Amino acid sequence: MVSFKALPLDATATAQLVEKFDQLFNCFNSRRFDSTSTMAHALTDKSGHIQFLQHTKEWLLQLKCRNKTQSLPCLEGWLLSISALEQLWSDLSENFGFRFLLTSRLNQDPLENLFSVVSGKGGHRTNPDAKEFKSALRQTMVDSIMTTSEHQNCEKDLATSLFNVHHIQQNVMEPQLTNIQREVPCTI
């Protein structure tokens, strides 16, 4: 907007700050191997993430805030997160042969999403006890098994659900049924 003269020249520094943090958030939230957004693709040896993180770490260390400490806790948190991601990638790629990393799998969003779904079972319990949570989690898992893919190419029917339930019953319940059958005397 500065280049189009829609904003004054003074807005350039703010725009650069926002762009840098946008890329930093993208770097820590990659969900796909390829992406059109800068730094939103998977971290690899050749993706440029490590160089970006090193450059960003130096940039964050140069930022000065106009408060007593001349720093913000969030900046210290970013520096810690950047160092942790660099070390994690080094360990995963060198010691375990990882070729890429989807960094969104490192944050707590999936866990929060699971808890949101579980708390929504049975009336949005905000503070369930262990028994209620276990029951709601079990119901959530059953619901997930019985849900068909949104990318299916045919009408929904219960055959897949019945197969899944039968498969679970066969793997989980069969040993119990076998023990019960042994205890019941044969009347034939």
Side-chain angles (χ1 to χ4, degrees):
M1 297 303 286
V2 171
S3 63
F4 294 124
K5 299 190 188 320
L7 289 174
L9 195 58
D10 296 347
T12 304
T14 303
Q16 290 172 345
L17 179 103
V18 170
E19 182 179 4
K20 182 72 85 173
F21 274 103
D22 182 53
Q23 292 174 4
L24 192 55
F25 274 99
N26 285 346
C27 183
F28 276 84
N29 286 306
S30 65
R31 297 183 186 280
R32 298 185 189 109
F33 194 77
D34 292 321
S35 177
T36 56
S37 298
T38 307
M39 289 292 126
H41 52 280
L43 190 153
T44 67
D45 284 333
K46 298 177 183 177
S47 66
H49 282 83
I50 298 302
Q51 296 82 358
F52 169 77
L53 291 171
Q54 290 168 348
H55 181 269
T56 302
K57 195 169 20 173
E58 293 170 11
W59 176 74
L60 287 172
L61 288 168
Q62 294 174 5
L63 288 180
K64 299 292 182 218
C65 300
R66 294 182 182 178
N67 60 13
K68 292 178 186 176
T69 62
Q70 295 200 358
S71 183
L72 292 173
C74 67
L75 297 180
E76 294 169 18
W78 274 115
L79 290 167
L80 180 65
S81 296
I82 290 169
S83 294
L85 183 56
E86 289 173 328
Q87 291 175 37
L88 177 66
W89 174 246
S90 175
D91 187 43
L92 291 175
S93 62
E94 292 172 16
N95 299 325
F96 298 98
F98 276 48
R99 295 188 319 231
F100 68 94
L101 177 65
L102 298 175
T103 55
S104 68
R105 303 298 186 240
L106 303 174
N107 64 40
Q108 68 187 25
D109 289 349
L111 184 62
E112 287 180 10
N113 291 338
L114 172 67
F115 285 152
S116 172
V117 171
V118 170
S119 73
K121 291 292 175 194
H124 292 287
R125 296 180 199 105
T126 56
N127 194 16
D129 63 21
K131 186 177 178 180
E132 291 173 330
F133 182 83
K134 182 178 176 182
S135 175
L137 179 61
R138 183 176 288 155
Q139 183 61 49
T140 302
M141 290 168 41
V142 168
D143 289 349
S144 295
I145 291 170
M146 297 186 137
T147 303
T148 57
S149 169
E150 46 183 78
H151 303 294
Q152 64 189 8
N153 62 356
C154 59
E155 257 183 65
K156 291 182 183 180
D157 63 7
L158 293 178
T160 304
S161 300
L162 292 174
F163 171 75
N164 287 338
V165 171
H166 176 71
H167 181 72
I168 290 170
Q169 183 180 13
Q170 188 176 24
N171 289 337
V172 175
M173 299 297 286
E174 193 172 281
Q176 295 172 354
L177 291 174
T178 310
N179 291 337
I180 293 169
Q181 289 171 349
R182 278 189 237 153
E183 295 173 7
V184 176
C186 184
T187 58
I188 298 178

